[in-house]
Amino acid sequence: MDPEARLHERKRELTVQLDRLDADDDSLRHDRADATADDEHDPEGSTLSGEWQRVEALRRAARAELAEVEASLARVAADAYGVCASCGRDIPVERLEVRPHATMCVACASR
């Protein structure tokens, strides 16, 4: 699969993930609004607050990765994809296969 197709596929996956996490957030908000929910005293499960924090952390991470993917797609459109933002050399194809939204070569990224 070419890098642009891989980026579009990852964008689709992240969008689906964010939709699912948004639905989870809506469900947690609904449960939290329920006056009978006494999650803080339930020794059998995690609290709604804990679940809410987990969902929000996952959403932040997915949004951040989606922004990276979209920036990579913009670099593809500008014919600048695969060029290290730090040193200007080509990013190895193997790195782009593993991390298609990479902006730096291995040497620059490890500094």
Side-chain angles (χ1 to χ4, degrees), residues 10-11 13-30 48 50-68 70:
R10 186 62 184 146
K11 182 177 178 177
E13 291 168 356
L14 288 165
T15 301
V16 168
Q17 180 183 5
L18 280 167
D19 288 346
R20 189 179 66 248
L21 290 168
D22 287 344
D24 290 349
D25 182 68
D26 290 344
S27 176
L28 288 168
R29 287 180 189 276
H30 178 267
L48 289 175
E51 281 298 302
W52 204 349
Q53 289 175 344
R54 183 187 70 79
V55 166
E56 187 55 34
L58 290 170
R59 283 175 25 171
R60 275 193 308 272
R63 282 189 207 116
E65 185 178 351
L66 182 58
E68 291 176 352
E70 289 173 339

Side-chain angles (χ1 to χ4, degrees), residues 2-14 17 61-76 80-85 91-106 109:
D2 72 272
E4 186 175 8
R6 199 172 349 342
L7 287 165
H8 281 292
E9 176 62 20
R10 186 62 184 146
K11 182 177 178 177
R12 187 194 66 72
E13 291 168 356
L14 288 165
Q17 180 183 5
R63 282 189 207 116
E65 185 178 351
L66 182 58
E68 291 176 352
V69 168
E70 289 173 339
S72 292
L73 286 168
R75 285 192 302 279
V76 168
Y81 181 76
V83 177
C84 179
I91 299 172
V93 173
E94 297 82 8
R95 177 166 171 74
L96 292 172
E97 286 175 355
V98 174
R99 187 173 165 82
H101 52 278
T103 60
M104 289 190 271
C105 66
V106 176

